[in-house]
Amino acid sequence: EDAAAGDENGEEMQEEDEGPMNINKALKQVLYYSRIHLGLARGVKEVIQALERGEAQLVVLAEDCDEAKYVEILEALTAEKGVYMLKVPERTQLGEWAGLTRLDDQGEIKKVCPASSVAVKDFGEQSEGLAFLLEYIKDMAAEGGGGDKAEEEEE
């Protein structure tokens, strides 16, 4: 089901994401390629396991995560392991980007399962989004900001 959803979402991603690259488009593209290469850990339990095993290269956390203890644990683990953390505004948006969706017969998204956190274990393939995201992380690290949120930019 994920593979079929990934192919269809990939076509949609290309259509709706035209225009200049921003952090949200880059993150969406990186999560898409990571998912189709089976390099994505979804949900708090999988993310914590990936961090503890040293597999996580990037962690994405939803700001509307309703469990403060999860946020504390993930922030502490990412700091300890030296893994960069990005924040997005909504769990539903993160769930959609991570492929936690159900599709109807026409291939349209029928239901999205929210995700509080996602870890990228394998970036998959090189893409414009990955280059943009790595440059963004490098810039944020140079400024001394760790784990800044992905700001909503004009689309």
Side-chain angles (χ1 to χ4, degrees), residues 9-69:
N9 286 341
E11 292 170 13
E12 291 173 16
M13 182 180 73
Q14 298 302 326
E15 293 171 12
E16 65 188 41
D17 284 346
E18 293 181 11
M21 183 63 69
N22 64 37
I23 188 63
N24 285 329
K25 286 182 186 177
L27 186 56
K28 181 177 179 181
Q29 191 177 69
V30 166
L31 292 177
Y32 169 76
Y33 285 123
S34 179
R35 185 178 80 233
I36 63 174
H37 287 274
L38 305 177
L40 208 56
R42 299 173 272 203
V44 175
K45 182 179 178 183
E46 286 184 30
V47 170
I48 289 172
Q49 287 176 345
L51 282 166
E52 288 177 342
R53 293 177 184 154
E55 298 172 345
Q57 298 180 35
L58 172 71
V59 173
V60 184
L61 177 68
E63 288 183 335
D64 65 348
C65 178
D66 49 4
E67 227 12 88
K69 289 186 181 192

Side-chain angles (χ1 to χ4, degrees), residues 109-129:
I109 294 174
K110 182 171 71 170
K111 182 180 178 184
V112 177
C113 181
S116 294
S117 58
V118 170
V120 177
K121 299 187 287 186
D122 176 10
F123 285 111
E125 57 193 70
Q126 290 293 327
S127 65
E128 180 185 357

